Amino acid sequence: MEIEQYTVIQNRLLEHYHSLGFTNEEFMFLIHVISFQQLGNKFPSMERLGKRMGCATKEVIPLIESLMNKGGLAIQSETEAGGRQGDRYSLAPLFDKLAQYEQQSQTPKTETNGDVTDVREILTVLETEFGRQLSPMEYELVSSWIVKEGFLPDTIKAAIKEAVLNGVSNLRYIERILFNWRKNNRKTTSHEPIAKATPENKPDFPIHKVLNNDNKK
């Protein structure tokens, strides 16, 4: 008997996608991208996405371009197992946009500036340490550490370092470290300024990347 599979979508995305500027069609496209990624396909072809959407392949291109222009999607290159180069759809811009929206909607906190750049920097550190792309649920959790809980980026980095030294690559473990430090009123000893993300962290890929991917599949 085939095991039924599910796609996990964060409620905050469902609640705020209109406020973030996405149409119903664009958000449905994002849901399908998330679905493919949760099944292990990081860069589904336009043909497969079009089939899911019930539209022609040529109608998928404007959706991708619109989402990239609105800051809901990006295409990034990565080194896969064995050193092979590949591409993937990145949802980091979507969660950046959501974090920024939540920051503007909330009362400012005293313990953090809630800078969206800090969220992206922590995501980059985690993906480097874990050696993999984070899931949408993990993006959401990391964003909440900064935007909702008010943890400072250097405190989060210190917790990540402690987790890695203990051989644990798990966000919930890192979160337990953070809350334990807060409970014991521990602060990090680092007072160095935090390096801000640069444009190189957000490569702007032309749409021909998607076309080339579609031709291969």
Side-chain angles (χ1 to χ4, degrees):
M1 181 178 178
E2 185 177 353
I3 299 176
E4 188 171 3
Q5 296 174 322
Y6 299 88
T7 299
V8 179
I9 304 294
Q10 293 296 313
N11 285 337
R12 284 201 284 270
L13 280 176
L14 293 172
E15 293 170 1
H16 300 312
Y17 75 90
H18 273 306
S19 299
L20 296 177
F22 302 119
T23 66
N24 291 339
E25 187 178 27
E26 288 168 346
F27 189 66
M28 181 56 66
F29 183 86
L30 288 172
I31 289 175
H32 286 303
V33 171
I34 292 171
S35 176
F36 274 113
Q37 291 196 343
Q38 290 180 3
L39 291 173
N41 188 345
K42 299 179 182 179
F43 200 49
S45 68
M46 288 193 297
E47 181 179 3
R48 297 187 69 180
L49 288 166
K51 186 176 181 180
R52 282 274 193 96
M53 294 285 292
C55 63
T57 301
K58 64 181 180 180
E59 297 178 74
V60 174
I61 299 176
L63 280 174
I64 296 173
E65 291 180 328
S66 178
L67 284 166
M68 291 176 72
N69 289 333
K70 290 182 178 181
L73 194 68
I75 300 174
Q76 296 180 343
S77 291
E78 64 178 1
T79 302
E80 300 175 346
R84 178 174 171 270
Q85 289 292 318
D87 297 321
R88 67 177 173 90
Y89 286 113
S90 171
L91 297 169
L94 173 64
F95 289 95
D96 282 351
K97 197 175 182 74
L98 179 62
Q100 188 174 38
Y101 173 80
E102 290 181 329
Q103 175 196 351
Q104 293 171 348
S105 302
Q106 293 178 354
T107 302
K109 295 182 177 291
T110 58
E111 294 182 76
T112 180
N113 60 15
D115 194 333
V116 174
T117 303
D118 293 338
V119 176
R120 171 169 286 280
E121 183 181 12
I122 296 301
L123 292 173
T124 300
V125 170
L126 284 165
E127 290 187 338
T128 300
E129 293 291 349
F130 289 4
R132 63 175 175 82
Q133 179 186 4
L134 299 183
S135 70
M137 291 183 67
E138 289 173 319
Y139 280 133
E140 182 91 4
L141 179 60
V142 173
S143 176
S144 72
W145 292 347
I146 294 177
V147 177
K148 290 199 165 186
E149 298 297 339
F151 288 113
L152 295 170
D154 55 351
T155 303
I156 298 173
K157 288 179 184 179
I160 294 170
K161 182 177 180 180
E162 180 160 319
V164 171
L165 289 174
N166 290 332
V168 182
S169 299
N170 183 287
L171 292 189
R172 289 300 179 185
Y173 182 81
I174 296 171
E175 186 174 68
R176 285 196 296 271
I177 294 174
L178 289 169
F179 280 105
N180 184 56
W181 286 354
R182 171 179 283 175
K183 180 180 178 181
N184 294 294
N185 198 31
R186 170 175 169 177
K187 302 293 184 181
T188 62
T189 57
S190 173
H191 298 287
E192 297 179 359
I194 301 168
K196 297 299 182 181
T198 63
E200 285 76 14
N201 290 340
K202 292 184 177 182
D204 184 15
F205 280 75
I207 199 66
H208 72 76
K209 277 280 191 180
V210 186
L211 292 169
N212 291 338
N213 174 63
D214 195 57
N215 291 333
K216 293 177 184 176
K217 299 189 177 184

PDB file of all heavy atoms in Angstrom, residues 100-116:
ATOM      1  N   GLN A 100      10.490  40.344   7.063  1.00  0.00           N
ATOM      2  CA  GLN A 100      10.446  41.804   7.005  1.00  0.00           C
ATOM      3  C   GLN A 100       9.026  42.308   7.270  1.00  0.00           C
ATOM      4  O   GLN A 100       8.833  43.286   7.995  1.00  0.00           O
ATOM      5  CB  GLN A 100      10.935  42.286   5.640  1.00  0.00           C
ATOM      6  CG  GLN A 100      11.100  43.791   5.541  1.00  0.00           C
ATOM      7  CD  GLN A 100      11.722  44.212   4.220  1.00  0.00           C
ATOM      8  OE1 GLN A 100      11.437  43.646   3.172  1.00  0.00           O
ATOM      9  NE2 GLN A 100      12.599  45.191   4.277  1.00  0.00           N
ATOM     10  N   TYR A 101       8.046  41.619   6.690  1.00  0.00           N
ATOM     11  CA  TYR A 101       6.647  42.004   6.898  1.00  0.00           C
ATOM     12  C   TYR A 101       6.268  41.882   8.373  1.00  0.00           C
ATOM     13  O   TYR A 101       5.635  42.776   8.946  1.00  0.00           O
ATOM     14  CB  TYR A 101       5.725  41.130   6.049  1.00  0.00           C
ATOM     15  CG  TYR A 101       4.255  41.340   6.329  1.00  0.00           C
ATOM     16  CD1 TYR A 101       3.568  42.419   5.782  1.00  0.00           C
ATOM     17  CD2 TYR A 101       3.561  40.462   7.166  1.00  0.00           C
ATOM     18  CE1 TYR A 101       2.224  42.618   6.052  1.00  0.00           C
ATOM     19  CE2 TYR A 101       2.222  40.652   7.446  1.00  0.00           C
ATOM     20  CZ  TYR A 101       1.555  41.731   6.883  1.00  0.00           C
ATOM     21  OH  TYR A 101       0.227  41.930   7.165  1.00  0.00           O
ATOM     22  N   GLU A 102       6.681  40.764   8.996  1.00  0.00           N
ATOM     23  CA  GLU A 102       6.358  40.558  10.405  1.00  0.00           C
ATOM     24  C   GLU A 102       7.064  41.585  11.290  1.00  0.00           C
ATOM     25  O   GLU A 102       6.501  42.049  12.283  1.00  0.00           O
ATOM     26  CB  GLU A 102       6.742  39.137  10.824  1.00  0.00           C
ATOM     27  CG  GLU A 102       5.851  38.073  10.201  1.00  0.00           C
ATOM     28  CD  GLU A 102       6.229  36.676  10.637  1.00  0.00           C
ATOM     29  OE1 GLU A 102       7.425  36.442  10.897  1.00  0.00           O
ATOM     30  OE2 GLU A 102       5.332  35.823  10.719  1.00  0.00           O
ATOM     31  N   GLN A 103       8.286  41.917  10.914  1.00  0.00           N
ATOM     32  CA  GLN A 103       9.036  42.926  11.672  1.00  0.00           C
ATOM     33  C   GLN A 103       8.302  44.257  11.658  1.00  0.00           C
ATOM     34  O   GLN A 103       8.164  44.933  12.676  1.00  0.00           O
ATOM     35  CB  GLN A 103      10.428  43.086  11.092  1.00  0.00           C
ATOM     36  CG  GLN A 103      11.242  44.211  11.738  1.00  0.00           C
ATOM     37  CD  GLN A 103      12.448  44.597  10.906  1.00  0.00           C
ATOM     38  OE1 GLN A 103      12.772  43.923   9.938  1.00  0.00           O
ATOM     39  NE2 GLN A 103      13.097  45.669  11.285  1.00  0.00           N
ATOM     40  N   GLN A 104       7.798  44.656  10.492  1.00  0.00           N
ATOM     41  CA  GLN A 104       7.122  45.942  10.354  1.00  0.00           C
ATOM     42  C   GLN A 104       5.756  45.942  11.034  1.00  0.00           C
ATOM     43  O   GLN A 104       5.244  46.990  11.407  1.00  0.00           O
ATOM     44  CB  GLN A 104       6.953  46.278   8.871  1.00  0.00           C
ATOM     45  CG  GLN A 104       8.272  46.537   8.159  1.00  0.00           C
ATOM     46  CD  GLN A 104       8.120  46.644   6.652  1.00  0.00           C
ATOM     47  OE1 GLN A 104       7.074  46.304   6.095  1.00  0.00           O
ATOM     48  NE2 GLN A 104       9.167  47.106   5.987  1.00  0.00           N
ATOM     49  N   SER A 105       5.184  44.737  11.214  1.00  0.00           N
ATOM     50  CA  SER A 105       3.844  44.625  11.792  1.00  0.00           C
ATOM     51  C   SER A 105       3.854  44.537  13.301  1.00  0.00           C
ATOM     52  O   SER A 105       2.804  44.664  13.935  1.00  0.00           O
ATOM     53  CB  SER A 105       3.134  43.379  11.237  1.00  0.00           C
ATOM     54  OG  SER A 105       3.051  43.430   9.828  1.00  0.00           O
ATOM     55  N   GLN A 106       5.033  44.299  13.894  1.00  0.00           N
ATOM     56  CA  GLN A 106       5.119  44.099  15.326  1.00  0.00           C
ATOM     57  C   GLN A 106       5.697  45.316  16.037  1.00  0.00           C
ATOM     58  O   GLN A 106       6.354  46.154  15.443  1.00  0.00           O
ATOM     59  CB  GLN A 106       6.001  42.879  15.646  1.00  0.00           C
ATOM     60  CG  GLN A 106       5.393  41.562  15.199  1.00  0.00           C
ATOM     61  CD  GLN A 106       6.333  40.413  15.492  1.00  0.00           C
ATOM     62  OE1 GLN A 106       7.459  40.612  15.911  1.00  0.00           O
ATOM     63  NE2 GLN A 106       5.851  39.206  15.262  1.00  0.00           N
ATOM     64  N   THR A 107       5.458  45.374  17.350  1.00  0.00           N
ATOM     65  CA  THR A 107       6.081  46.399  18.184  1.00  0.00           C
ATOM     66  C   THR A 107       7.570  46.127  18.258  1.00  0.00           C
ATOM     67  O   THR A 107       7.973  44.995  18.495  1.00  0.00           O
ATOM     68  CB  THR A 107       5.491  46.360  19.606  1.00  0.00           C
ATOM     69  OG1 THR A 107       4.078  46.545  19.509  1.00  0.00           O
ATOM     70  CG2 THR A 107       6.108  47.439  20.481  1.00  0.00           C
ATOM     71  N   PRO A 108       8.415  47.114  18.041  1.00  0.00           N
ATOM     72  CA  PRO A 108       9.857  46.877  18.077  1.00  0.00           C
ATOM     73  C   PRO A 108      10.303  46.263  19.402  1.00  0.00           C
ATOM     74  O   PRO A 108       9.828  46.626  20.465  1.00  0.00           O
ATOM     75  CB  PRO A 108      10.450  48.288  17.893  1.00  0.00           C
ATOM     76  CG  PRO A 108       9.365  49.064  17.227  1.00  0.00           C
ATOM     77  CD  PRO A 108       8.078  48.516  17.754  1.00  0.00           C
ATOM     78  N   LYS A 109      11.253  45.326  19.336  1.00  0.00           N
ATOM     79  CA  LYS A 109      11.782  44.684  20.529  1.00  0.00           C
ATOM     80  C   LYS A 109      13.061  45.394  20.957  1.00  0.00           C
ATOM     81  O   LYS A 109      13.764  45.978  20.153  1.00  0.00           O
ATOM     82  CB  LYS A 109      12.054  43.198  20.241  1.00  0.00           C
ATOM     83  CG  LYS A 109      10.784  42.405  19.930  1.00  0.00           C
ATOM     84  CD  LYS A 109      11.112  40.950  19.696  1.00  0.00           C
ATOM     85  CE  LYS A 109       9.859  40.139  19.453  1.00  0.00           C
ATOM     86  NZ  LYS A 109       9.039  40.015  20.654  1.00  0.00           N
ATOM     87  N   THR A 110      13.385  45.293  22.238  1.00  0.00           N
ATOM     88  CA  THR A 110      14.552  45.995  22.741  1.00  0.00           C
ATOM     89  C   THR A 110      15.829  45.184  22.575  1.00  0.00           C
ATOM     90  O   THR A 110      16.916  45.730  22.630  1.00  0.00           O
ATOM     91  CB  THR A 110      14.362  46.317  24.228  1.00  0.00           C
ATOM     92  OG1 THR A 110      14.139  45.095  24.948  1.00  0.00           O
ATOM     93  CG2 THR A 110      13.160  47.232  24.430  1.00  0.00           C
ATOM     94  N   GLU A 111      15.720  43.836  22.371  1.00  0.00           N
ATOM     95  CA  GLU A 111      16.906  43.001  22.360  1.00  0.00           C
ATOM     96  C   GLU A 111      17.491  42.784  20.965  1.00  0.00           C
ATOM     97  O   GLU A 111      18.537  42.186  20.829  1.00  0.00           O
ATOM     98  CB  GLU A 111      16.585  41.646  22.992  1.00  0.00           C
ATOM     99  CG  GLU A 111      16.257  41.717  24.479  1.00  0.00           C
ATOM    100  CD  GLU A 111      16.007  40.335  25.027  1.00  0.00           C
ATOM    101  OE1 GLU A 111      16.998  39.595  25.241  1.00  0.00           O
ATOM    102  OE2 GLU A 111      14.842  39.984  25.224  1.00  0.00           O
ATOM    103  N   THR A 112      16.810  43.230  19.937  1.00  0.00           N
ATOM    104  CA  THR A 112      17.309  42.976  18.587  1.00  0.00           C
ATOM    105  C   THR A 112      16.786  44.017  17.620  1.00  0.00           C
ATOM    106  O   THR A 112      15.724  44.592  17.814  1.00  0.00           O
ATOM    107  CB  THR A 112      16.893  41.575  18.081  1.00  0.00           C
ATOM    108  OG1 THR A 112      17.401  41.383  16.749  1.00  0.00           O
ATOM    109  CG2 THR A 112      15.397  41.416  18.067  1.00  0.00           C
ATOM    110  N   ASN A 113      17.516  44.266  16.556  1.00  0.00           N
ATOM    111  CA  ASN A 113      17.031  45.192  15.535  1.00  0.00           C
ATOM    112  C   ASN A 113      16.137  44.491  14.527  1.00  0.00           C
ATOM    113  O   ASN A 113      15.553  45.131  13.658  1.00  0.00           O
ATOM    114  CB  ASN A 113      18.203  45.877  14.813  1.00  0.00           C
ATOM    115  CG  ASN A 113      19.120  44.881  14.129  1.00  0.00           C
ATOM    116  OD1 ASN A 113      18.780  43.714  13.946  1.00  0.00           O
ATOM    117  ND2 ASN A 113      20.297  45.329  13.741  1.00  0.00           N
ATOM    118  N   GLY A 114      16.026  43.187  14.601  1.00  0.00           N
ATOM    119  CA  GLY A 114      15.124  42.462  13.712  1.00  0.00           C
ATOM    120  C   GLY A 114      15.488  42.590  12.255  1.00  0.00           C
ATOM    121  O   GLY A 114      14.642  42.384  11.390  1.00  0.00           O
ATOM    122  N   ASP A 115      16.736  42.912  11.972  1.00  0.00           N
ATOM    123  CA  ASP A 115      17.162  43.144  10.595  1.00  0.00           C
ATOM    124  C   ASP A 115      17.024  41.874   9.764  1.00  0.00           C
ATOM    125  O   ASP A 115      17.535  40.818  10.143  1.00  0.00           O
ATOM    126  CB  ASP A 115      18.627  43.600  10.586  1.00  0.00           C
ATOM    127  CG  ASP A 115      19.043  44.179   9.262  1.00  0.00           C
ATOM    128  OD1 ASP A 115      18.462  43.809   8.230  1.00  0.00           O
ATOM    129  OD2 ASP A 115      19.970  45.016   9.258  1.00  0.00           O
ATOM    130  N   VAL A 116      16.323  41.967   8.639  1.00  0.00           N
ATOM    131  CA  VAL A 116      16.138  40.810   7.772  1.00  0.00           C
ATOM    132  C   VAL A 116      17.476  40.286   7.262  1.00  0.00           C
ATOM    133  O   VAL A 116      17.647  39.095   7.022  1.00  0.00           O
ATOM    134  CB  VAL A 116      15.218  41.173   6.581  1.00  0.00           C
ATOM    135  CG1 VAL A 116      15.124  40.019   5.587  1.00  0.00           C
ATOM    136  CG2 VAL A 116      13.824  41.519   7.084  1.00  0.00           C
TER     137      VAL A 116
END
